[in-house]
Amino acid sequence: MEAAFMDSGTTVDKGENARLSSFVGAIAIADLVKTTLGPKGMDKILQRISEHDQSVSVTNDGATILKSINLDNAAAKVLVDIARVQDDEVGDGTTSVAVLCGELLREAEDLINQRIHPQTIAEGWRLARKAAREALEASAVDNSGDEAKFRQDLHKIACTTLSSKLLTYEKDYFANLAVDAVMRLKGSNNLDHIQVLKKPGGHLRDSYLEEGFLLDKKIGVGQPKRIENAKILLANTSMDTDKIKIYGSRVRVDSLNKVAEIEEAEKARMRQKCEKIIAHGCNVFINRQLIYNLPESIFTERGVMAIEHADFDGIERLAAVTGGEVVSTFDRPDLVTMGECDIIEEVMIGEDKVIRLGGCKSGEACSIVLRGASSHVLDEAERSLHDALCILTATVKEPRIICGGGCTEVLMAQAIDRQVESTPGKKALAMASFARALRQLPAIVADNGGYDSAELVTQLRAAHASGKDNYGLDMYNGTIGDMTELGVAESFKSKLCVLMSASEAAEMILRVDDIIRCAPRAREGY
């Protein structure tokens, strides 16, 4: 009926068709990333098919996979969005949140086929979510008062995060790197102070943590390669006006002498600018933009180390690390805050030279140098390490930890099942479906490892029913075991975000009854 009142190009899917379209799209996306879940998860090859970009990346990071896919289904885009938010908020659990949302919608599809209204299902889910959250909070442990124990907790969380990534076979080594880097931040949680530098060559085990800051740039010709007690002037200014850009301007003169005069005037202005910079009392000048030959030679004469083209990210990070300000004008030296560090020197990493800033004013600065066989390995190693760093900084803010290995999912499901027994009406069916969806997560992890998921999950339920609340899946032996003894721990904040985000997104998709596609308004005259 609505079609009679709508412009051509506008379509409406109603009722069952709209709901089915939403469910199918979201479940398909969840199934796509399902096989990457857990320590035995598989990887995906992402191959771009653009004319100008045909790069390939190999990853099992849920957020990276989902961000790379072009989607037309509205519900599928909601799943991609919650995975992206989980990645931004916590850094880990991106696959879990998409898979849990998909499993909830799979359960909802069965309930709707039994003629249970979506609002009733949503109401039951809200009760189940409350019970699950209470069980999760009750199982959380906080060791932040004891520094040694808290460091052990961080190491366990980093190992658990890295066990599903490329770095799994060197997870102890990289977990120590990540924990050392995060502990240096002293609670500031500013990941800008941790730089990850990728250098092809060697093995992953050759990676190391460098105390200080590494800049992958070159020092100017003939300038000092080592300076102690450096006073650093950070700038974002044009240092390339010592030549006339003939292609960028029109100059009308009656002789070549006039051109020479203009060039000399340009050079005089550049000399004046260099004198103003040197007047600040700096012995190191780092510029975001290029530094041409004339200013470079002036800095060389004065014994000032000049580093060009430090990029926007590099100059911002340097400002945070050295305690300086990025300046563009040089008329008021008294208002400029310069960066400081104990030593700047050129060092070799593999075959490449980089600049090392040691003893920075911001003492928490450090760099992690990643070595690896190829750019694909390094890219995936960087993504894995970034997830570990993010989850550790989130844990420093919210220090509670929980057991991993599917332990908390079964624990939450049992808490919901207990409440189902005392809940009247059809809401109880929705609550039971929420518990089944939670139990699907350890089942999927077991399936991905090639084990019998039905056997392991029933053993896990029996163990929890007998009071063994710390039991979860031991994926290396294909059995169940005590997660505290095995050292499998996860961040409370990460698991809570997965639970809340997935259930809220599933509820939002469940409540859809119409999908309206609107054609863009045509411009007049076209």
Side-chain angles (χ1 to χ4, degrees):
M1 183 66 188
E2 294 102 328
F5 305 101
M6 291 180 180
D7 287 342
S8 60
T10 303
T11 59
V12 180
D13 290 341
K14 296 187 69 65
E16 288 300 313
N17 286 342
R19 197 168 287 122
L20 187 63
S21 170
S22 296
F23 285 2
V24 167
I27 291 169
I29 287 295
D31 286 347
L32 176 71
V33 295
K34 185 192 288 187
T35 55
T36 67
L37 192 65
K40 299 287 183 82
M42 307 298 280
D43 289 0
K44 309 283 184 197
I45 291 180
L46 305 176
Q47 185 171 5
R48 291 167 182 80
I49 51 175
S50 158
E51 182 183 344
H52 305 293
D53 181 11
Q54 296 189 348
S55 58
V56 171
S57 53
V58 183
T59 182
N60 73 347
D61 181 50
T64 306
I65 295 165
L66 293 177
K67 278 189 284 193
S68 306
I69 304 170
N70 291 321
L71 296 167
D72 188 37
N73 186 285
K77 287 180 180 176
V78 171
L79 255 71
V80 173
D81 195 44
I82 60 169
R84 184 183 56 75
V85 170
Q86 177 81 10
D87 194 37
D88 294 342
E89 186 74 15
V90 189
D92 194 29
T94 51
T95 308
S96 302
V97 74
V99 170
L100 179 57
C101 185
E103 292 302 325
L104 283 168
L105 291 172
R106 208 188 299 273
E107 294 290 338
E109 195 174 6
D110 292 341
L111 293 175
I112 283 172
N113 290 337
Q114 296 172 32
R115 298 295 174 191
I116 298 175
H117 196 275
Q119 293 289 8
T120 307
I121 299 171
E123 192 178 349
W125 279 0
R126 281 194 288 272
L127 290 171
R129 186 169 66 213
K130 185 170 179 247
R133 181 171 184 165
E134 286 169 358
L136 189 66
E137 287 174 346
S139 69
V141 178
D142 184 355
N143 289 325
S144 58
D146 184 337
E147 192 172 333
K149 273 191 179 179
F150 187 53
R151 188 186 170 86
Q152 284 179 359
D153 288 349
L154 290 178
H155 186 267
K156 287 177 188 174
I157 289 169
C159 283
T160 305
T161 300
L162 293 173
S163 65
S164 62
K165 311 284 184 190
L166 174 79
L167 303 176
T168 179
Y169 300 109
E170 301 286 357
K171 64 181 179 184
D172 269 341
Y173 182 71
F174 281 96
N176 276 324
L177 282 189
V179 171
D180 286 344
V182 168
M183 294 299 268
R184 282 178 66 86
L185 295 179
K186 301 183 179 74
S188 75
N189 296 328
N190 185 357
L191 284 180
D192 281 345
H193 291 183
I194 302 173
Q195 184 195 23
V196 178
L197 198 64
K198 297 178 288 186
K199 286 290 176 187
H203 307 285
L204 281 170
R205 184 84 186 190
D206 297 336
S207 305
Y208 64 93
L209 180 75
E210 175 71 61
E211 294 187 4
F213 192 83
L214 295 176
L215 195 61
D216 194 4
K217 297 294 170 187
K218 298 283 186 291
I219 296 170
V221 178
Q223 292 169 359
K225 304 295 184 191
R226 176 188 169 96
I227 287 183
E228 295 184 4
N229 298 321
K231 301 284 184 189
I232 306 165
L233 183 62
L234 303 165
N236 178 12
T237 187
S238 172
M239 301 294 287
D240 58 358
T241 50
D242 58 326
K243 297 175 183 173
I244 291 182
K245 296 185 181 66
I246 299 297
Y247 298 107
S249 57
R250 291 181 64 184
V251 182
R252 303 187 72 164
V253 293
D254 51 14
S255 72
L256 282 174
N257 290 338
K258 295 283 180 67
V259 176
E261 287 173 15
I262 295 170
E263 280 192 347
E264 192 51 49
E266 288 279 344
K267 288 180 179 177
R269 283 185 61 194
M270 181 50 69
R271 287 192 192 95
Q272 188 181 357
K273 189 173 190 177
C274 291
E275 292 298 335
K276 284 183 179 178
I277 291 168
I278 294 164
H280 283 69
C282 63
N283 51 13
V284 179
F285 176 67
I286 303 178
N287 191 26
R288 184 193 160 196
Q289 300 178 41
L290 292 170
I291 300 176
Y292 270 32
N293 299 347
L294 177 68
E296 188 178 69
S297 65
I298 294 170
F299 290 132
T300 304
E301 287 169 11
R302 298 300 190 88
V304 174
M305 181 192 289
I307 302 165
E308 66 174 357
H309 211 244
D311 306 325
F312 183 73
D313 288 344
I315 204 81
E316 288 290 317
R317 193 177 270 136
L318 276 169
V321 163
T322 61
E325 290 177 351
V326 182
V327 294
S328 297
T329 57
F330 309 99
D331 296 322
R332 294 290 304 275
D334 53 313
L335 300 179
V336 174
T337 305
M338 284 200 288
E340 296 173 14
C341 70
D342 293 342
I343 186 167
I344 296 183
E345 59 184 346
E346 204 169 55
V347 295
M348 291 284 290
I349 297 178
E351 302 297 317
D352 301 327
K353 290 181 179 177
V354 297
I355 301 164
R356 176 180 170 272
L357 287 77
C360 296
K361 190 173 183 180
S362 168
E364 53 260 26
C366 62
S367 298
I368 297 174
V369 180
L370 288 179
R371 308 300 308 280
S374 71
S375 58
H376 300 125
V377 170
L378 285 173
D379 288 343
E380 180 62 2
E382 184 189 24
R383 281 190 287 269
S384 306
L385 195 61
H386 179 263
D387 282 0
L389 292 171
C390 287
I391 197 74
L392 289 177
T393 50
T395 309
V396 170
K397 283 185 199 168
E398 167 53 271
R400 285 181 286 179
I401 68 160
I402 52 172
C403 291
C407 169
T408 46
E409 283 82 357
V410 174
L411 194 71
M412 291 188 286
Q414 286 203 324
I416 295 167
D417 284 339
R418 283 195 293 272
Q419 197 162 326
V420 166
E421 294 168 4
S422 58
T423 304
K426 292 180 180 177
K427 291 179 292 188
L429 296 175
M431 292 173 72
S433 75
F434 198 99
R436 282 196 299 275
L438 281 170
R439 275 194 288 267
Q440 276 302 308
L441 287 176
I444 290 165
V445 170
D447 279 335
N448 289 346
Y451 302 122
D452 185 346
S453 60
E455 175 71 22
L456 286 177
V457 172
T458 48
Q459 284 182 21
L460 200 52
R461 288 182 70 179
H464 277 256
S466 63
K468 297 175 180 175
D469 289 343
N470 291 334
Y471 267 53
L473 298 175
D474 178 359
M475 287 301 293
Y476 295 104
N477 298 310
T479 58
I480 62 170
D482 190 332
M483 294 293 102
T484 49
E485 289 178 11
L486 293 171
V488 180
E490 291 184 59
S491 164
F492 167 77
K493 185 177 181 183
S494 171
K495 191 63 75 179
L496 182 64
C497 283
V498 167
L499 175 71
M500 305 306 284
S501 300
S503 56
E504 285 169 6
E507 186 181 326
M508 184 170 70
I509 294 168
L510 176 66
R511 291 160 64 123
V512 169
D513 70 341
D514 283 5
I515 297 175
I516 304 164
R517 294 184 182 86
C518 308
R521 183 169 57 86
R523 294 183 183 179
E524 293 180 12
Y526 287 90

